[in-house]
Amino acid sequence: MSRQIFQLKVSLADVTPPVWRRVLVPGGYTLDRVHRLFQCVLGWQDCHLHSFDIDGSQYGEPDPDGELTLRDELDTRLDAVATKGGRFLYTYDFGDWWEHEVTVEDVFGADPEERYPLCSAGQGACPPEDVGGPFGYRQFLAALADPGHPEHESMRGWLGRPFDPSIFDPGRATTLARRLS
């Protein structure tokens, strides 16, 4: 029996221009590995809390203080909670609240000639960490796009590097994702 591969489309909600990735993921990955994969292919830096909401159940890192009721993502495999045509949410950074809509586009047998995981497509650069969620990202992009904007220079200085919201390289995302495997 061949390994099952899940084709997932991960779309960042409430941002323009659109930010999404299509990834091919082994069904045997636990949700903690799926989290790390999403971090790599989207471009996040994994410095904030996260959770999955799948069919009304919350998964993530268990809260030692017991304030968040989360099922342990280390104990849950993707193929146990996701099915073709299904949808779930992945939320990253509970302060900025980056919500990702995940669609299971397909499930199929692994190609023995292919290495997984694989980022096969995508669009848009990942917003910078700590930019303030979708609202802050819109303000950030407006300031960067207009040299006359009162916050143009401060935003450029805050980021400390060039930023083009349209740039995404699936090959680089795949290389980063495979480093976690």
Side-chain angles (χ1 to χ4, degrees):
M1 183 172 173
S2 68
R3 289 188 306 158
Q4 282 192 318
I5 301 300
F6 283 65
Q7 180 176 302
L8 306 177
K9 183 175 182 185
V10 185
S11 302
L12 190 53
D14 300 322
V15 297
T16 303
V19 175
W20 62 271
R21 308 291 184 257
R22 179 166 290 118
V23 292
L24 305 180
V25 186
Y29 270 29
T30 55
L31 292 181
D32 72 301
R33 271 184 104 178
V34 174
H35 155 71
R36 287 182 282 142
L37 172 66
F38 287 176
Q39 290 288 302
C40 289
V41 300
L42 284 154
W44 297 120
Q45 297 173 3
D46 199 11
C47 28
H48 299 284
L49 295 172
H50 67 278
S51 69
F52 293 90
D53 183 338
I54 305 173
D55 293 330
S57 294
Q58 304 287 318
Y59 301 85
E61 292 181 36
D63 180 7
D65 299 326
E67 293 179 23
L68 298 173
T69 306
L70 298 172
R71 294 180 182 195
D72 193 340
E73 65 189 1
L74 285 168
D75 297 335
T76 308
R77 288 171 42 135
L78 179 63
D79 57 9
V81 293
T83 57
K84 183 176 177 177
R87 295 175 178 270
F88 59 92
L89 295 176
Y90 168 73
T91 303
Y92 173 63
D93 186 348
F94 297 163
D96 281 0
W97 200 260
W98 295 108
E99 196 165 76
H100 305 73
E101 298 164 350
V102 183
T103 303
V104 182
E105 295 182 320
D106 201 1
V107 179
F108 52 88
D111 178 346
E113 302 299 316
E114 186 60 73
R115 287 185 55 211
Y116 301 99
L118 171 71
C119 182
S120 63
Q123 179 180 350
C126 183
E129 294 276 351
D130 301 321
V131 76
F135 177 76
Y137 185 51
R138 283 189 292 278
Q139 291 181 313
F140 169 78
L141 290 177
L144 281 188
D146 178 6
H149 192 284
E151 294 184 31
H152 178 78
E153 287 304 319
S154 66
M155 285 293 147
R156 285 184 57 194
W158 170 76
L159 188 59
R161 61 178 168 83
F163 183 81
D164 182 340
S166 68
I167 292 180
F168 172 67
D169 178 359
R172 178 166 166 68
T174 293
T175 298
L176 293 171
R178 287 181 177 161
R179 286 184 185 167
L180 79 86
S181 301

